[in-house]
Amino acid sequence: MPERFYGIRHHGPGSARAVVAALAAQRPDVLLVEGPPEADELVRWVADERLEPPVALLGYATDDPRRAGFWPFAVFSPEWQAIRWAVDNGVPVRFFDLPYAYRFAEPEEQPGGQVEPADPTSGPATQAEPATQAEPATQAEPATQAEPATQAGQRRPTEPDSAPADPAGATGDRGGPRQRPVDPIGELAAAAGYDDPERWWEDVVEHRGAPAFEAVAEAMAAIREGAPEDPDDLLREAYMRTVLRQTRRGYDNIAVVCGAWHVPALTAKVAASADAALLKGRRKTKVTFTWVPWTYGRLASWQGYAAGVRSPGWYHHLFTTPDEVVTRWLVAAAGVLRDEGVPASSAHVIEAARLAETLATLRGRPLAGLAELTEASEAVLCEGEPLRLELINRRLVVGERLGAVPDDMPAVPLARDLAAQQRSLRLKPEALDRDLDLDLRRDTDLARSRLLHRLRLLGVPWGDPTGGRRSTGTFREQWRLRWQPEFAVRLVEASAHGTTVDAAATASVAARAQAAGSLAEVTALVEICLLADLPGAYPPVLRALDTRAALDADVGHLMAAFPALARTLRYGDVRRTELGGLAEVTTGILARVCAALPAAVGGLSDEAARTLRDRIDGVQAAVGLLDDGVRDRWLDTLTSVAGRDDLAGLLAGRLTRLLHDAGRLDRDEVRRRMGLPLTVGTAPAAGAAWVEGFLGGGGLLLVHDDDLLSLVDDWLTGIPADSFTEVLPLLRRTFGGFAAGERRAIGERVSATGGTVPAAVAVGLDHDRAAAVLPTLSILLGRELR
């Protein structure tokens, strides 16, 4: 019996059903499937029930895991169903596409200009050093190209991009995925009078269910005739024909499952010598393959996976639902809404089903499709609310399903260690966003926190710290978890640092500390070591910290580094972390700050003064976490410089406020210092800068100290009209930083006392002009003025 070619659309449920039926009728001796031949040894895992789609074949260059690609499979993928049928029926399966390793190198020239040919007749079985594909050597990360979602041809493997990684269709630095010059399904849909290729495919294939392999192959041949050829397609098809010729020597009854685009090329009469000439000269690169979990979100074409489909969740429903497709879909949609507290009754479902079927009839469709169901859901279930429809689209149309792989699946030791920790800590990877609230006093939560921080060090941001509910103590952490398929590649890359998460994170931090170019980089690593509990990384990090601190003479850099070190010392006990000699390094940095600060505060520009003010605030907050001796030394330094005449107004005001809050200045001294820049003869801008520095961060002092409030009020009312516009931005920035309650309290006190308006201003008061500023004052003071 001659071979049979089943041209399919990747991720098409109609094609999947038709392929299974055709294979059952043919009963082939061997099955050839479009895919990387290096993965042949992994086919046996398809029989394992623990391998739950969506999953993907992950291939990567063994010596450089950053060069990686994916071949995704869903339960409704024709290739997946064909492989399942073959495994269940004891039929050998071989992938027969161009080896993935061919993508990593150009043909290799021998001395004298001769090219060494690879042996393509060796078959697609996994090789120790498989041949490599002719892909431009200049690409930094040879992403595998993907084709348009509407195309029935080859699904290309995909690669992860750099942060945030997106393996589906990412192309690194090459400016976008290569696409065929022709969209075959688009051409067929246009010929049939459809403006939407997806809807044409649903009507002709998905909803009818009748096998149409011969018709599709004939249509593809007509489209390819005279169309420009993709060189990559020609190379791949030459290899496929070569493998097909080899297979014919051992088998008579052959089944071939591939993209419909390739069928005309595989059935064409092409000389073996022509294919060999096209394939020769490919250098060999070692690659590794395994199965990894995938998500329906990554199968969606709008995510960048050009061979994907618009609606993976809908296609899953079409493939897995035996009957009542429309009704069951709407019932699921109503369930999604009810889960979010939106009322959706059985009457809603009945009316939506009627509307969807009526729309399909009016449009001449054999069955209500996704377009009709979406419109019916929006009109009836969602009552026209777009956010509800968006929820249905996310949960059902695309879907949030995450696949699974067996625990004993071949993987790098680092991935195995992570899987073991996930099980022991009961942290299951999920495709959905999941909020996690940790109490670090509990051993399990503390271990979870350390694991998440370590993974972030390795470039696997499974969890992101959130700014949600905060505890008044230091024992709480909030995370938002979401597992992404490309993390599998990141783990392979990180495995170069170690075989466990702890060892890899420790080695990664040590390498970063050695390569750090600034003090700020090293101090950030110190805090990371605390959060991730990496005691083995402290010695190299502290050595780097000591070296950088000794070489860095910039007081601003030292001040920027100090808060992170102080937090590490303060919260180390909470996390039960041994901090070694960090205290000595930290106090040494503060001593250098105290010695250098007096020379750094004088004669600064406004911008430099603002930067130094922020640095001083950071150190002030940090010293409060340490013992009293450290705090007293810092306050003594501030006291020594606070009264200098060469201070910028912003710094003078800020230092006065910090010393007052620390109990170093009484109210009488504060009033005296405030009165100096707010007297007549001082430029209003200078006074405004002083007020901004003093009041920045809170205005409760004005609420509780009538003398200070009167002093500021007198100064404000005394600013000449021509200078008020100049200082208004500073005033807005200062008073706008107060809490709403503080602004309201200040306004009430000013209103109760009637203010202190000088007589010169009160004479000849124009009430109409005064009323014009009331809206602005209402905004500044946080209350309505009349």
Side-chain angles (χ1 to χ4, degrees), residues 113-189:
Q114 297 296 319
V115 178
E116 179 184 8
D119 182 13
T121 61
S122 60
T126 304
Q127 307 168 15
E129 291 186 3
T132 58
Q133 176 181 350
E135 192 74 353
T138 55
Q139 63 187 52
E141 296 183 3
T144 57
Q145 292 92 33
E147 294 186 9
T150 57
Q151 196 158 319
Q154 158 69 8
R155 173 193 59 216
R156 318 264 182 164
T158 54
E159 85 161 6
D161 200 358
S162 57
D166 182 3
T171 56
D173 299 327
R174 292 179 294 162
R178 285 198 330 222
Q179 298 183 355
R180 294 201 181 96
V182 180
D183 173 9
I185 291 186
E187 294 289 333
L188 295 175

Side-chain angles (χ1 to χ4, degrees), residues 317 323-333 349-350 353 357 373:
H317 178 78
D323 55 17
E324 300 292 341
V325 173
V326 171
T327 304
R328 293 179 187 274
W329 175 266
L330 291 171
V331 169
V349 174
I350 293 171
E357 292 169 354
L373 287 170

Side-chain angles (χ1 to χ4, degrees), residues 81-425:
Q81 289 298 323
I83 295 172
R84 283 298 304 266
W85 181 90
V87 171
D88 292 343
N89 289 274
V91 176
V93 179
R94 300 174 69 184
F95 290 115
F96 79 124
D97 201 350
L98 189 71
Y100 180 52
Y102 274 29
R103 299 186 178 273
F104 296 134
E106 291 287 357
E108 181 176 15
E109 291 192 3
Q110 297 279 346
Q114 297 296 319
V115 178
E116 179 184 8
D119 182 13
T121 61
S122 60
T126 304
Q127 307 168 15
E129 291 186 3
T132 58
Q133 176 181 350
E135 192 74 353
T138 55
Q139 63 187 52
E141 296 183 3
T144 57
Q145 292 92 33
E147 294 186 9
T150 57
Q151 196 158 319
Q154 158 69 8
R155 173 193 59 216
R156 318 264 182 164
T158 54
E159 85 161 6
D161 200 358
S162 57
D166 182 3
T171 56
D173 299 327
R174 292 179 294 162
R178 285 198 330 222
Q179 298 183 355
R180 294 201 181 96
V182 180
D183 173 9
I185 291 186
E187 294 289 333
L188 295 175
Y194 282 73
D195 58 357
D196 185 351
E198 291 289 327
R199 191 174 67 181
W200 174 83
W201 181 263
E202 281 194 5
D203 289 351
V204 173
V205 178
E206 306 301 339
H207 293 166
R208 298 189 184 278
F213 298 114
E214 292 79 6
V216 171
E218 183 179 347
M220 293 299 156
I223 293 174
R224 291 192 68 162
E225 185 176 355
E229 292 288 0
D230 183 351
D232 187 57
D233 279 344
L234 297 177
L235 187 67
R236 295 174 55 229
E237 289 161 355
Y239 189 88
M240 291 181 188
R241 286 191 296 265
T242 301
V243 175
L244 190 56
R245 294 187 191 99
Q246 177 196 6
T247 306
R248 287 170 183 158
R249 302 192 195 107
Y251 300 94
D252 294 325
N253 189 8
I254 303 172
V256 178
V257 176
C258 63
W261 180 261
H262 301 295
V263 172
L266 299 184
T267 57
K269 301 294 184 181
V270 179
S273 58
D275 288 340
L278 191 60
L279 290 168
K280 72 177 181 180
R282 308 294 166 186
R283 291 183 299 179
K284 296 181 178 182
T285 297
K286 188 175 182 180
V287 295
T288 303
F289 270 78
T290 188
W291 288 104
V292 296
W294 203 250
T295 67
Y296 276 173
R298 293 299 192 190
L299 278 177
S301 56
W302 54 266
Q303 282 275 35
Y305 176 31
V309 292
R310 295 182 189 172
S311 46
W314 166 245
Y315 275 9
H316 179 94
H317 178 78
L318 283 179
F319 186 78
T320 58
T321 303
D323 55 17
E324 300 292 341
V325 173
V326 171
T327 304
R328 293 179 187 274
W329 175 266
L330 291 171
V331 169
V336 168
L337 295 177
R338 284 196 292 267
D339 289 343
E340 298 298 326
V342 178
S345 65
S346 56
H348 285 91
V349 174
I350 293 171
E351 289 303 318
R354 289 174 177 171
L355 177 56
E357 292 169 354
T358 301
L359 289 172
T361 301
L362 291 174
R363 295 168 179 173
R365 304 194 68 182
L367 184 70
L370 182 59
E372 288 74 29
L373 287 170
T374 300
E375 293 176 30
S377 298
E378 181 178 16
V380 181
L381 295 178
C382 302
E383 298 177 347
E385 174 56 53
L387 291 180
R388 298 179 185 177
L389 183 63
E390 181 182 345
L391 179 65
I392 292 175
N393 286 335
R394 186 173 69 252
R395 297 278 181 86
L396 285 184
V397 177
V398 175
E400 296 168 325
R401 187 180 300 267
L402 175 67
V405 299
D407 295 337
D408 51 346
M409 176 67 62
V412 294
L414 178 61
R416 289 182 177 276
D417 179 65
L418 173 59
Q421 293 193 50
Q422 289 171 335
R423 290 192 298 271
S424 65
L425 297 176

Side-chain angles (χ1 to χ4, degrees), residues 505-541:
T506 298
S508 175
V509 169
R512 291 190 196 182
Q514 185 176 5
S518 67
L519 181 61
E521 294 179 41
V522 182
T523 53
L525 291 176
V526 173
E527 193 166 18
I528 289 173
C529 287
L530 164 70
L531 298 175
D533 186 27
L534 300 174
Y538 270 114
V541 170

Side-chain angles (χ1 to χ4, degrees), residues 513-602:
Q514 185 176 5
S518 67
L519 181 61
E521 294 179 41
V522 182
T523 53
L525 291 176
V526 173
E527 193 166 18
I528 289 173
C529 287
L530 164 70
L531 298 175
D533 186 27
L534 300 174
Y538 270 114
V541 170
L542 290 180
R543 285 195 300 270
L545 177 64
D546 200 22
T547 300
R548 290 294 172 189
L551 296 176
D552 199 330
D554 190 316
V555 67
H557 293 170
L558 297 173
M559 296 175 74
F562 181 78
L565 302 179
R567 287 193 298 268
T568 303
L569 284 173
R570 171 63 180 84
Y571 299 135
D573 291 340
V574 174
R575 292 180 169 272
R576 310 171 212 171
T577 303
E578 177 60 42
L579 299 177
L582 181 61
E584 182 179 351
V585 176
T586 304
T587 54
I589 289 179
L590 182 62
R592 293 184 60 194
V593 168
C594 293
L597 186 62
V601 298

